[in-house]
Amino acid sequence: MAKPRKTKNNEDPKPENSGALVHHQKLCLSIDIDKRLVHGYTELEIAVPEIGIVGLHAENLGIESVWVDGEPTEFEYYPHQQQQVEDDKRFSSVCSPSSAADAAVSVYMSSLEKELVPNLLINCCKPSKTESEQQQEQTVPENGFHSTAEPKQNVRIVRIDYWIEKAETGIHFRNNLLHTDNQIRRARCWFPCIDDNSQRCCYDLEFTVAHNLVAVSTGFLLYQVLSKDNPPRKTYVYKLDVPVAARWISLAVAPFEIFPDHQFSLISHMCLMPNLSKMRNTVEFFHSAFSCYKDYLAVDFPFDSYTQVFIEPEMAVSSLSLGASMSIFSSQVLFDEKVIDQTIDTRAKLAYALARQWFGVYITPETPNDEWLLDGLAGFLTDFYIKKHLGNNEARYRRYKANCAVCKVDNGGATALSCSASCKDLYGTQCIGLYGKIRSWKSVAVLQMLEKQMGPESFRRILQTIVSRAQDKTRSMKTLSTKEFRHFANKVGNLERPFLKDFFPRWVGSCGCPVLRMGFSYNKRKNMVELAVLRGCTALQTSTTSTLDINPETENRDGDTGWPGMMSIRVYELDGMYDHPILPMAGEAWQLLEIQCHSKLAARRFQKPKKGLKHDGSDDNGDVPSMDVRSNTESPLLWIRADPDMEYLAEVHFNQPVQMWINQLEKDKDVIAQAQAIAALEASPQLSFSIVNALNNFLGDSKAFWRVRIEAAFALANSASEETDFSGLLHLVKFYKSRRFDPDIGLPKPNDFHDFAEYFVLEAIPHAVAMVRAADKKSPREAIEFVLQLLKYNDNNGNPYSDVFWLSALVQSVGELEFGQQSILLLSSLLKRIDRLLQFDSLMPRYNGILTISCIRTLTQIALKLSGFIPLDRVFELVKPFRDLKTLWQVRIEASRALLDLEFHCKGMDSALLLFIKYLEEEHSLRGCSSFPSRRIYR
């Protein structure tokens, strides 16, 4: 036996497992939620290395005793919290903000390094058993799991009795709810284990709780046992037959209401009683996602059951925590049948969590360098569901916007999907936060590029091969590597080895996306388009070369090695549409391409001018390209697109005349083409009435996709200026009134949200109107009066759908307004409306407190803009009551953020930071600790 041991300053325990392998693990815990106490034991069947010492991870646990094969043994425990003194010393010499930052980074990196080192060392040395006893144990393992290791391995049964008291991380208590989270390296915070993704085994799980509570965990529920104690307690027994890493073991305990799925008996949904009706409405669609994946992959679900658990948002560390055969969500994603705006995002989130059960939990990455692949496959599967059940327009638009975001951020080593240096140096943190989201989007884009190259059916066969191979019971390890996937792309997808040899190092092993700048001219004599292309890269030269391990002296000056394949240029002519896959993505950065036009109209109309006459601006030879493509009578070109099918993750800047962009907007039915045209027209240096009319016509087209119509609305707002007589503003107001106003009385009609697409477009109009600015950078009086009128006459009587998001959007549009001397008199009327909504929502809180949040945010925006006229102390006192611990956590966090903004504006950074620390100490919600820092402070 040994007591927990303090680490000396010069002592750094570096035990190595040297081949220790967990064959099976059993976890038996008794949970007292009232006392926030967990006690019990875990039993591991471990193949012990030759040194006889096994190192486990155990964070902030009370180790009572350790037994090996039924006999007590010696152990040493190094609790990391006892090393706090060493970390505090680093801050003792802080004398400036820069030194404070250095100390914080040093402490953080030290903590990450310590997490990698096992801190529970167990002596497993004991006299060896006879040869016959070893053979008998190897023939019939107790847990039925046959190891692939050598037959002479030294297998021991290690039992650890321990307790957890008032844990602060990994396992969380609040009122009558307990749950675990799956943040990086957090399984060790609630049971001793080898907390490494390479260690996978099967589990037996037993949890004893109060009789009125439900304990839901990973695996299949075998049975429940009610004790004869007074009061009685209930034990839930689970079994997980699929080997998984310790991080995928999850637990949630609460008085859950259970809602079985009406289509698949193996699916269950759980939440607390107040959210039951919302959960029933939310998960009504879920069987369609389950069936979609099952049909696409052509195999059954890999686990015996699947459970979705919804807990209160202030308890959730993140909006989603994954576990094997279960997912824990924030109940903030739930919605009832009256809420419109939440539907799409929630369905996408639940569908993604289900896809991760296949790729990430069941099939795991072979190494950290392969994590991108499983994340990307889950995202690809989610996109497939969105396309099939939410529409092709929704799927393409989402992918287009994600690709645009990736191109903006993909400029450094952290965005290289498979890079040993980044995986090692960032300790897995590259998968969380902003870079985690960008990496996920990039992973999906890379896989979709491969799908475009090989075809959807070939790609589907690859995924089916991967999952069917994983379900082969003769394989003990269900892993996937980038190398294996590359092999499948060659054998199953029929992609050539030279292409794959260039594709994976460039897209997966390095950072950066191509940036293409294009312009063209039309040659009448040759009836040909001459296209000029300049290729660049979003990544800096140092980032690209260091990631690829390239010698800069052997590469071109831009450090850009190019990308494999050819990009298509699509030309829309009078006679039809023609694709030209002629743009090489490697080689010279400058390219000049010639594209033959198919239409003969221009050639037929071309007549050689008489000598000396130069009607088209060319010389006597007629070979100089004409830049005049303003009308179809002079050119067969309607518009041109680069990479129309998103075969490349690329940032494309295409230069063509305004009329061609208008043609693209009006005649191309692809949502991406429409979005690109709107962006180009909005960015036009000279906003003409033809542009405004084109945007207005598109906004009013009810057949167009609603998300792109919203972009047209904001483009109209940006086009509104004195040069165009504010026609964009007039069009926006006219459009809204034509849909929502009673023409007889000139006032808004009662709300009617039955047309969902029209609802989303109209909801965005007030925000767009609020963005309009006059020459003095102030909002026109007409815009302010319009928003005020909508707030004043909003009437939701008789409407079956909630107007909470509708009102929230209206209130937020008030915060976007800029008041001048002529319009400041309208401010009091707006503030009265906001105050009335704030009071109403306090008396009868509505969905997730979003209306109160919008009111607080808008009041803060107005106060900061008009700080010279409005005493901020009064605003501070108005917002302060919303920090009461009895309010919804979302409202409380928004109030904290607003107060920090006001503090920073009035008293500066130091005062705001002190207030932030005070709020941090007072905040009891888990998500609050990472949610409410003011964005403005750290900008």
Side-chain angles (χ1 to χ4, degrees):
M1 290 285 188
K3 295 182 179 179
R5 179 176 167 187
K6 295 183 179 180
T7 305
K8 298 179 181 178
N9 292 337
N10 59 352
E11 183 181 1
D12 186 15
K14 296 183 178 179
E16 295 183 0
N17 286 316
S18 302
L21 179 65
V22 179
H23 290 177
H24 184 273
Q25 186 161 0
K26 183 177 182 179
L27 186 60
C28 298
L29 298 178
S30 178
I31 300 166
D32 189 331
I33 289 186
D34 295 333
K35 297 180 180 179
R36 297 182 61 184
L37 177 65
V38 177
H39 69 273
Y41 70 91
T42 184
E43 191 173 270
L44 303 94
E45 182 182 335
I46 304 180
V48 179
E50 292 182 1
I51 59 174
I53 303 295
V54 170
L56 301 180
H57 298 100
E59 190 70 41
N60 300 337
L61 305 179
I63 307 300
E64 183 177 333
S65 60
V66 179
W67 305 69
V68 175
D69 289 341
E71 298 180 4
T73 189
E74 296 179 349
F75 68 94
E76 291 186 352
Y77 182 40
Y78 302 86
H80 286 157
Q81 75 270 22
Q82 294 185 1
Q83 301 168 10
Q84 185 67 36
V85 176
E86 179 183 345
D87 294 338
D88 291 341
K89 290 181 180 178
R90 289 189 171 99
F91 286 99
S92 61
S93 59
V94 169
C95 58
S96 66
S98 60
S99 61
D102 292 339
V105 170
S106 176
V107 170
Y108 179 62
M109 297 298 294
S110 175
S111 299
L112 290 176
E113 291 174 356
K114 290 172 183 175
E115 284 186 1
L116 301 180
V117 181
N119 58 336
L120 175 57
L121 310 183
I122 301 173
N123 181 9
C124 295
C125 295
K126 60 178 295 185
S128 300
K129 297 185 178 181
T130 64
E131 183 177 349
S132 60
E133 289 175 337
Q134 291 181 354
Q135 290 178 352
Q136 184 177 2
E137 287 184 356
Q138 293 160 5
T139 304
V140 187
E142 291 183 6
N143 62 342
F145 179 76
H146 295 271
S147 173
T148 58
E150 297 180 0
K152 292 184 179 181
Q153 59 184 309
N154 184 17
V155 178
R156 296 281 187 259
I157 303 297
V158 178
R159 170 172 169 151
I160 305 167
D161 296 285
Y162 71 100
W163 75 88
I164 311 169
E165 188 172 8
K166 297 182 180 180
E168 297 181 355
T169 184
I171 185 168
H172 309 284
F173 295 83
R174 184 170 185 260
N175 299 332
N176 58 351
L177 174 64
L178 170 151
H179 79 97
T180 62
D181 71 73
N182 288 105
Q183 288 184 312
I184 301 173
R185 297 180 287 275
R186 286 298 173 263
R188 67 189 69 181
C189 296
W190 67 287
F191 67 96
C193 58
I194 299 182
D195 199 0
D196 190 309
N197 289 338
S198 63
Q199 288 279 352
R200 306 174 187 90
C201 66
C202 300
Y203 286 81
D204 287 327
L205 307 165
E206 296 182 10
F207 304 104
T208 301
V209 298
H211 71 283
N212 62 324
L213 300 178
V214 177
V216 55
S217 184
T218 51
F220 180 72
L221 179 62
L222 296 178
Y223 53 86
Q224 308 170 36
V225 178
L226 189 65
S227 72
K228 297 181 180 180
D229 299 337
N230 188 18
R233 292 173 62 79
K234 186 180 289 186
T235 300
Y236 291 81
V237 181
Y238 292 88
K239 188 175 185 62
L240 182 63
D241 291 329
V242 178
V244 298
R247 66 171 298 190
W248 300 124
I249 303 300
S250 296
L251 171 66
V253 179
F256 289 121
E257 296 292 328
I258 304 173
F259 178 62
D261 193 274
H262 58 85
Q263 293 285 343
F264 296 96
S265 59
L266 58 85
I267 302 176
S268 299
H269 316 281
M270 300 186 186
C271 69
L272 299 177
M273 174 58 79
N275 294 319
L276 182 58
S277 61
K278 289 194 291 185
M279 184 181 71
R280 286 176 175 172
N281 178 74
T282 302
V283 302
E284 186 179 14
F285 84 100
F286 192 71
H287 64 89
S288 64
F290 195 84
S291 298
C292 177
Y293 296 164
K294 183 178 178 181
D295 295 341
Y296 183 82
L297 299 173
V299 290
D300 291 329
F301 188 66
F303 299 102
D304 293 329
S305 64
Y306 180 62
T307 305
Q308 295 187 127
V309 181
F310 300 90
I311 63 175
E312 294 306 308
E314 56 265 44
M315 272 295 289
V317 176
S318 60
S319 60
L320 167 62
S321 179
L322 287 169
S325 77
M326 71 177 291
S327 298
I328 301 177
F329 299 91
S330 163
S331 61
Q332 192 177 9
V333 303
L334 300 176
F335 59 93
D336 58 32
E337 65 278 0
K338 295 182 179 181
V339 174
I340 300 173
D341 296 63
Q342 192 69 45
T343 305
I344 295 176
D345 289 341
T346 291
R347 291 189 176 185
K349 183 180 290 290
L350 268 58
Y352 172 74
L354 179 61
R356 286 289 285 174
Q357 293 294 320
W358 287 100
F359 300 108
V361 180
Y362 178 63
I363 302 173
T364 57
E366 187 171 293
T367 66
N369 283 349
D370 304 315
E371 290 180 357
W372 77 270
L373 179 56
L374 280 305
D375 191 14
L377 289 174
F380 178 90
L381 206 58
T382 306
D383 278 12
F384 178 78
Y385 165 76
I386 292 174
K387 179 180 179 180
K388 187 173 181 180
H389 290 275
L390 297 180
N392 186 54
N393 285 342
E394 179 72 18
R396 281 182 62 79
Y397 186 85
R398 280 173 170 261
R399 182 48 41 201
Y400 169 67
K401 287 300 182 181
N403 287 1
C404 290
V406 172
C407 290
K408 288 182 179 180
V409 181
D410 188 11
N411 58 6
T415 51
L417 298 180
S418 181
C419 178
S420 299
S422 66
C423 291
K424 178 182 178 182
D425 296 340
L426 298 176
Y427 299 91
T429 59
Q430 72 275 9
C431 298
I432 60 178
L434 171 63
Y435 278 111
K437 179 63 69 177
I438 293 298
R439 287 169 59 90
S440 295
W441 287 339
K442 184 178 179 180
S443 300
V444 178
V446 169
L447 294 175
Q448 288 184 338
M449 283 191 284
L450 284 174
E451 185 203 28
K452 295 287 186 183
Q453 292 290 329
M454 68 180 69
E457 285 304 315
S458 295
F459 194 85
R460 179 181 182 181
R461 284 197 298 271
I462 291 178
L463 267 63
Q464 291 176 345
T465 301
I466 291 171
V467 295
S468 61
R469 183 189 67 161
Q471 291 194 338
D472 185 355
K473 296 183 178 180
T474 61
R475 290 175 54 90
S476 60
M477 302 299 285
K478 307 178 188 304
T479 61
L480 179 65
S481 68
T482 304
K483 182 179 180 181
E484 289 175 315
F485 189 81
R486 180 172 167 176
H487 174 75
F488 287 137
N490 175 241
K491 294 297 183 182
V492 182
N494 297 319
L495 293 183
E496 298 178 355
R497 289 185 183 274
F499 172 82
L500 295 173
K501 184 179 180 181
D502 294 333
F503 183 91
F504 276 87
R506 194 63 186 90
W507 283 109
V508 180
S510 68
C511 60
C513 301
V515 179
L516 300 171
R517 304 183 186 278
M518 304 183 184
F520 77 96
S521 63
Y522 173 65
N523 189 315
K524 287 186 177 181
R525 172 173 291 278
K526 295 181 179 180
N527 193 27
M528 186 174 290
V529 175
E530 296 177 340
L531 183 70
V533 182
L534 172 62
R535 190 188 70 247
C537 181
T538 59
L540 303 175
Q541 179 179 353
T542 53
S543 300
T544 308
T545 54
S546 62
T547 305
L548 284 172
D549 194 21
I550 295 173
N551 182 0
E553 296 180 359
T554 64
E555 299 301 322
N556 59 45
R557 294 180 180 179
D558 295 330
D560 175 18
T561 60
W563 289 263
M566 306 285 283
M567 178 179 285
S568 290
I569 305 298
R570 180 172 293 175
V571 180
Y572 291 82
E573 304 179 29
L574 291 174
D575 290 354
M577 176 193 76
Y578 303 95
D579 281 333
H580 305 272
I582 60 170
L583 176 57
M585 296 298 290
E588 294 295 329
W590 281 99
Q591 298 283 342
L592 184 61
L593 309 174
E594 293 184 340
I595 303 175
Q596 184 66 52
C597 292
H598 293 73
S599 173
K600 298 181 180 180
L601 177 62
R604 188 167 56 248
R605 291 187 176 183
F606 175 78
Q607 295 179 356
K608 187 175 181 178
K610 295 181 181 180
K611 189 173 182 179
L613 297 179
K614 302 177 182 179
H615 298 296
D616 60 354
S618 63
D619 63 6
D620 292 337
N621 295 325
D623 286 334
V624 176
S626 170
M627 297 300 293
D628 188 0
V629 289
R630 289 176 296 177
S631 66
N632 291 334
T633 60
E634 300 174 358
S635 167
L637 304 176
L638 296 178
W639 70 94
I640 301 175
R641 292 185 61 195
D643 192 25
D645 295 322
M646 279 197 303
E647 294 178 324
Y648 277 89
L649 175 59
E651 181 180 324
V652 179
H653 302 274
F654 197 89
N655 184 24
Q656 62 181 352
V658 167
Q659 185 56 48
M660 296 181 72
W661 285 119
I662 293 175
N663 292 341
Q664 179 171 320
L665 177 63
E666 294 177 343
K667 299 178 181 180
D668 202 317
K669 302 304 179 183
D670 180 23
V671 295
I672 297 176
Q674 295 165 354
Q676 290 171 339
I678 290 172
L681 293 174
E682 183 181 357
S684 178
Q686 294 181 346
L687 293 170
S688 62
F689 285 101
S690 61
I691 292 177
V692 174
N693 291 333
L695 293 171
N696 180 55
N697 292 336
F698 187 84
L699 173 63
D701 184 3
S702 59
K703 295 181 180 179
F705 185 47
W706 62 271
R707 289 192 188 273
V708 189
R709 291 173 68 193
I710 290 176
E711 292 202 9
F714 282 99
L716 272 175
N718 290 331
S719 73
S721 63
E722 294 179 356
E723 288 77 8
T724 59
D725 297 330
F726 289 101
S727 56
L729 172 61
L730 299 177
H731 283 313
L732 287 171
V733 174
K734 183 178 179 180
F735 169 77
Y736 189 96
K737 289 184 175 181
S738 68
R739 263 68 171 179
R740 297 288 306 115
F741 271 53
D742 189 326
D744 296 330
I745 60 176
L747 295 176
K749 294 184 290 188
N751 295 336
D752 183 1
F753 299 157
H754 285 90
D755 188 337
F756 291 168
E758 200 75 6
Y759 162 82
F760 285 121
V761 175
L762 292 172
E763 185 184 56
I765 296 299
H767 192 191
V769 168
M771 302 296 289
V772 176
R773 295 291 182 266
D776 60 356
K777 305 300 181 183
K778 304 298 182 182
S779 299
R781 184 182 179 89
E782 295 81 1
I784 299 176
E785 290 177 341
F786 175 73
V787 174
L788 174 60
Q789 192 176 31
L790 298 186
L791 269 176
K792 183 176 181 180
Y793 293 104
N794 180 74
D795 181 5
N796 207 51
N797 291 325
N799 185 27
Y801 299 101
S802 171
D803 66 344
V804 62
F805 280 94
W806 181 271
L807 280 172
S808 297
L810 270 176
V811 171
Q812 288 184 41
S813 67
V814 175
E816 298 294 338
L817 295 169
E818 293 286 349
F819 296 90
Q821 292 181 353
Q822 300 297 323
S823 58
I824 193 67
L825 297 177
L826 298 174
L827 178 60
S828 61
S829 297
L830 288 167
L831 293 177
K832 287 179 182 178
R833 296 294 162 185
I834 294 175
D835 181 62
R836 181 176 298 179
L837 292 173
L838 202 56
Q839 293 181 26
F840 183 79
D841 207 46
S842 297
L843 294 173
M844 300 180 62
R846 294 202 275 179
Y847 182 77
N848 287 344
I850 66 166
L851 183 54
T852 297
I853 291 171
S854 297
C855 292
I856 294 174
R857 188 172 300 166
T858 295
L859 288 174
T860 305
Q861 286 178 298
I862 294 174
L864 293 175
K865 290 177 183 178
L866 303 176
S867 58
F869 307 96
I870 299 176
L872 295 185
D873 290 343
R874 295 182 61 183
V875 181
F876 198 95
E877 293 302 320
L878 178 64
V879 176
K880 190 175 181 180
F882 291 99
R883 285 205 68 253
D884 189 282
L885 296 180
K886 295 181 181 178
T887 59
L888 291 174
W889 83 273
Q890 301 99 316
V891 174
R892 190 166 66 251
I893 301 308
E894 184 62 36
S896 300
R897 181 183 286 116
L899 295 175
L900 287 169
D901 281 341
L902 294 170
E903 186 78 7
F904 172 70
H905 185 85
C906 293
K907 301 179 182 179
M909 175 68 79
D910 292 345
S911 180
L913 286 175
L914 290 174
L915 184 62
F916 167 67
I917 294 172
K918 176 178 179 291
Y919 289 168
L920 193 65
E921 293 172 347
E922 296 173 355
E923 180 57 45
H924 65 269
S925 70
L926 296 173
R927 299 186 69 189
C929 296
S930 58
S931 297
F932 69 67
S934 172
R935 291 184 294 265
R936 191 168 286 107
I937 287 178
Y938 301 104
R939 185 168 297 166

